[in-house]
């Protein structure tokens, strides 16, 4: 079917054999089958995967071309070290909202006494840190 779609549309899409069911593979297989995806077929994970692929493959390269920064000269997904960094960045971005939700839920369950004790401990720690900075700077000035 992919060859028929290529004849009709004039578009050729190479599909590398991939064993997993990644969003990219699903979308490419839909195009090759002659059924281009619509928004009803795509879920939010697919859309986010396409957006992140665009950012790491094209947007960063465009930034590197315009600024001359060597970090962004090539696609991050073509270098294993940069691809791992991209994976970490995406994972942190995806999980940060979930983690914040857990922390907020935990804070909502704390009593007033615990919150007041935490505030007092914070103020004491801030004062001690301020005194330490003041004494360090004073010694630097005297020396």
């Amino acid at each position: 079917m992919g060859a028929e779609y290529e004849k009709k549309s004039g578009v050729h899409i190479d599909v590398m054999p991939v064993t997993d069911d990644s969003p990219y593979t699903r979308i490419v297989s839909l195009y090759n089958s002659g059924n281009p995806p619509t928004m009803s077929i795509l879920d939010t994970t697919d859309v986010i995967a396409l957006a992140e692929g665009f950012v790491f493959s094209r947007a960063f390269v465009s930034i590197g071309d315009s600024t001359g920064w060597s970090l962004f000269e090539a696609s991050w997904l073509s270098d294993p070290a940069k691809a791992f960094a991209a994976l970490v960045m995406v994972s942190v971005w995806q999980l940060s909202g979930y983690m914040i939700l857990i922390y907020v839920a935990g804070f909502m369950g704390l009593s007033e006494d615990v919150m007041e004790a935490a505030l007092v401990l914070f103020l004491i720690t801030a004062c001690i840190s301020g005194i330490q900075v003041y004494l360090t700077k004073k010694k630097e000035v005297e020396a």
Side-chain angles (χ1 to χ4, degrees), residues 23-36:
Y24 177 77
T25 306
R26 284 187 283 164
I27 291 170
V28 169
S29 66
L30 286 171
Y31 271 104
N32 285 339
S33 70
N35 301 315

Side-chain angles (χ1 to χ4, degrees), residues 26-131:
R26 284 187 283 164
I27 291 170
V28 169
S29 66
L30 286 171
Y31 271 104
N32 285 339
S33 70
N35 301 315
T38 61
M39 284 308 287
S40 61
I41 294 173
L42 298 175
D43 61 5
T44 56
T45 306
D46 296 335
V47 174
I48 290 171
L50 287 172
E52 291 166 350
F54 172 78
V55 167
F56 290 115
S57 294
R58 303 230 173 130
F60 279 6
V61 172
S62 178
I63 291 170
D65 290 342
S66 62
T67 61
W69 294 341
S70 61
L71 180 65
F72 300 114
E73 284 179 351
S75 170
W76 278 34
L77 302 179
S78 63
D79 179 23
K82 289 181 183 177
F84 183 74
L87 179 67
V88 169
M89 288 170 39
V90 169
S91 298
V92 168
W93 175 76
Q94 284 182 324
L95 290 174
S96 61
Y98 179 69
M99 292 296 143
I100 289 172
L101 184 65
I102 290 174
Y103 282 121
V104 168
F107 287 141
M108 297 296 285
L110 294 177
S111 67
E112 278 297 316
D113 295 338
V114 174
M115 294 296 280
E116 186 177 332
L119 178 63
V120 169
L121 182 62
F122 170 75
L123 292 174
I124 291 171
T125 305
C127 289
I128 291 172
S129 296
I131 291 169

Side-chain angles (χ1 to χ4, degrees), residues 13-30:
I13 300 174
D14 288 327
V15 180
M16 295 173 49
V18 178
T19 56
D20 67 338
D21 189 32
S22 67
Y24 177 77
T25 306
R26 284 187 283 164
I27 291 170
V28 169
S29 66
L30 286 171

